[in-house]
Short mmCIF file of all heavy atoms in Angstrom, two decimals:
data_model
loop_
_atom_site.label_atom_id
_atom_site.label_comp_id
_atom_site.label_asym_id
_atom_site.label_seq_id
_atom_site.Cartn_x
_atom_site.Cartn_y
_atom_site.Cartn_z
N ILE A 687 -49.79 -25.76 32.44
CA ILE A 687 -51.22 -25.50 32.74
C ILE A 687 -51.82 -26.63 33.60
O ILE A 687 -52.48 -26.43 34.58
CB ILE A 687 -52.00 -25.25 31.44
CG1 ILE A 687 -51.48 -24.02 30.71
CG2 ILE A 687 -53.53 -25.05 31.78
CD1 ILE A 687 -51.41 -22.77 31.52
N ASP A 688 -51.63 -27.87 33.14
CA ASP A 688 -52.13 -29.06 33.87
C ASP A 688 -51.65 -29.08 35.25
O ASP A 688 -52.38 -29.39 36.21
CB ASP A 688 -51.79 -30.36 33.13
CG ASP A 688 -52.49 -30.50 31.78
OD1 ASP A 688 -53.53 -29.77 31.60
OD2 ASP A 688 -52.01 -31.27 30.94
N ARG A 689 -50.33 -28.81 35.49
CA ARG A 689 -49.79 -28.88 36.81
C ARG A 689 -50.45 -27.77 37.67
O ARG A 689 -50.70 -27.93 38.86
CB ARG A 689 -48.30 -28.68 36.76
CG ARG A 689 -47.59 -28.79 38.10
CD ARG A 689 -46.12 -28.77 38.08
NE ARG A 689 -45.57 -27.51 37.52
CZ ARG A 689 -44.93 -27.41 36.33
NH1 ARG A 689 -44.74 -28.45 35.63
NH2 ARG A 689 -44.42 -26.25 35.98
N ALA A 690 -50.60 -26.59 37.12
CA ALA A 690 -51.23 -25.49 37.84
C ALA A 690 -52.71 -25.88 38.32
O ALA A 690 -53.03 -25.54 39.44
CB ALA A 690 -51.27 -24.22 37.02
N ILE A 691 -53.41 -26.55 37.45
CA ILE A 691 -54.79 -26.98 37.82
C ILE A 691 -54.70 -27.99 38.93
O ILE A 691 -55.52 -27.87 39.85
CB ILE A 691 -55.43 -27.54 36.53
CG1 ILE A 691 -55.68 -26.41 35.54
CG2 ILE A 691 -56.76 -28.21 36.95
CD1 ILE A 691 -56.24 -26.94 34.20
N ARG A 692 -53.76 -28.95 38.82
CA ARG A 692 -53.67 -29.98 39.91
C ARG A 692 -53.33 -29.34 41.26
O ARG A 692 -53.82 -29.74 42.27
CB ARG A 692 -52.61 -31.02 39.50
CG ARG A 692 -53.01 -31.98 38.42
CD ARG A 692 -52.11 -33.24 38.45
NE ARG A 692 -50.68 -32.83 38.42
CZ ARG A 692 -49.99 -32.63 37.26
NH1 ARG A 692 -50.58 -32.73 36.11
NH2 ARG A 692 -48.74 -32.34 37.35
N LYS A 693 -52.44 -28.41 41.24
CA LYS A 693 -51.98 -27.78 42.49
C LYS A 693 -52.85 -26.55 42.89
O LYS A 693 -52.56 -25.91 43.92
CB LYS A 693 -50.53 -27.30 42.35
CG LYS A 693 -49.54 -28.42 42.18
CD LYS A 693 -48.11 -27.89 42.13
CE LYS A 693 -47.13 -29.05 42.10
NZ LYS A 693 -45.72 -28.51 42.11
N ARG A 694 -53.88 -26.32 42.11
CA ARG A 694 -54.75 -25.17 42.32
C ARG A 694 -53.93 -23.81 42.42
O ARG A 694 -54.20 -23.03 43.31
CB ARG A 694 -55.57 -25.38 43.58
CG ARG A 694 -56.48 -26.60 43.49
CD ARG A 694 -57.37 -26.78 44.70
NE ARG A 694 -58.22 -27.91 44.56
CZ ARG A 694 -59.11 -28.31 45.44
NH1 ARG A 694 -59.20 -27.63 46.63
NH2 ARG A 694 -59.89 -29.35 45.28
N GLN A 695 -53.04 -23.68 41.54
CA GLN A 695 -52.22 -22.49 41.46
C GLN A 695 -52.63 -21.63 40.28
O GLN A 695 -53.27 -22.15 39.28
CB GLN A 695 -50.76 -22.82 41.32
CG GLN A 695 -50.16 -23.46 42.58
CD GLN A 695 -48.75 -23.88 42.47
OE1 GLN A 695 -48.25 -24.00 41.32
NE2 GLN A 695 -48.04 -24.07 43.58
N ALA A 696 -52.17 -20.38 40.28
CA ALA A 696 -52.44 -19.52 39.16
C ALA A 696 -51.49 -19.82 37.99
O ALA A 696 -50.42 -20.40 38.21
CB ALA A 696 -52.26 -18.06 39.53
N ALA A 697 -51.87 -19.51 36.82
CA ALA A 697 -50.96 -19.59 35.62
C ALA A 697 -51.47 -18.60 34.62
O ALA A 697 -52.72 -18.28 34.51
CB ALA A 697 -50.98 -21.02 35.05
N SER A 698 -50.62 -18.00 33.80
CA SER A 698 -51.00 -16.98 32.87
C SER A 698 -50.30 -17.20 31.58
O SER A 698 -49.22 -17.84 31.51
CB SER A 698 -50.64 -15.55 33.46
OG SER A 698 -51.42 -15.30 34.58
N VAL A 699 -50.82 -16.59 30.52
CA VAL A 699 -50.30 -16.74 29.19
C VAL A 699 -50.20 -15.28 28.57
O VAL A 699 -51.10 -14.46 28.74
CB VAL A 699 -51.22 -17.56 28.32
CG1 VAL A 699 -50.87 -17.44 26.84
CG2 VAL A 699 -51.15 -19.05 28.70
N ILE A 700 -49.09 -15.09 27.87
CA ILE A 700 -48.85 -13.77 27.21
C ILE A 700 -48.52 -14.12 25.72
O ILE A 700 -47.70 -14.97 25.43
CB ILE A 700 -47.69 -13.00 27.80
CG1 ILE A 700 -47.94 -12.72 29.33
CG2 ILE A 700 -47.43 -11.75 27.01
CD1 ILE A 700 -46.73 -12.13 29.98
N ILE A 701 -49.22 -13.45 24.77
CA ILE A 701 -48.82 -13.46 23.41
C ILE A 701 -48.42 -12.07 23.01
O ILE A 701 -49.07 -11.05 23.38
CB ILE A 701 -50.02 -13.95 22.49
CG1 ILE A 701 -50.29 -15.44 22.69
CG2 ILE A 701 -49.64 -13.65 21.04
CD1 ILE A 701 -51.35 -15.93 21.73
N PHE A 702 -47.22 -12.00 22.32
CA PHE A 702 -46.85 -10.67 21.83
C PHE A 702 -46.15 -10.84 20.47
O PHE A 702 -45.64 -11.87 20.11
CB PHE A 702 -45.82 -9.97 22.82
CG PHE A 702 -44.49 -10.50 22.84
CD1 PHE A 702 -43.50 -10.00 22.05
CD2 PHE A 702 -44.13 -11.58 23.75
CE1 PHE A 702 -42.18 -10.48 22.07
CE2 PHE A 702 -42.80 -12.00 23.81
CZ PHE A 702 -41.82 -11.48 22.98
#
Side-chain angles (χ1 to χ4, degrees):
I687 299 301
D688 291 342
R689 184 172 65 246
I691 293 172
R692 285 198 309 272
K693 293 184 176 182
R694 298 183 179 179
Q695 293 177 341
S698 297
V699 166
I700 302 170
I701 288 185
F702 76 90

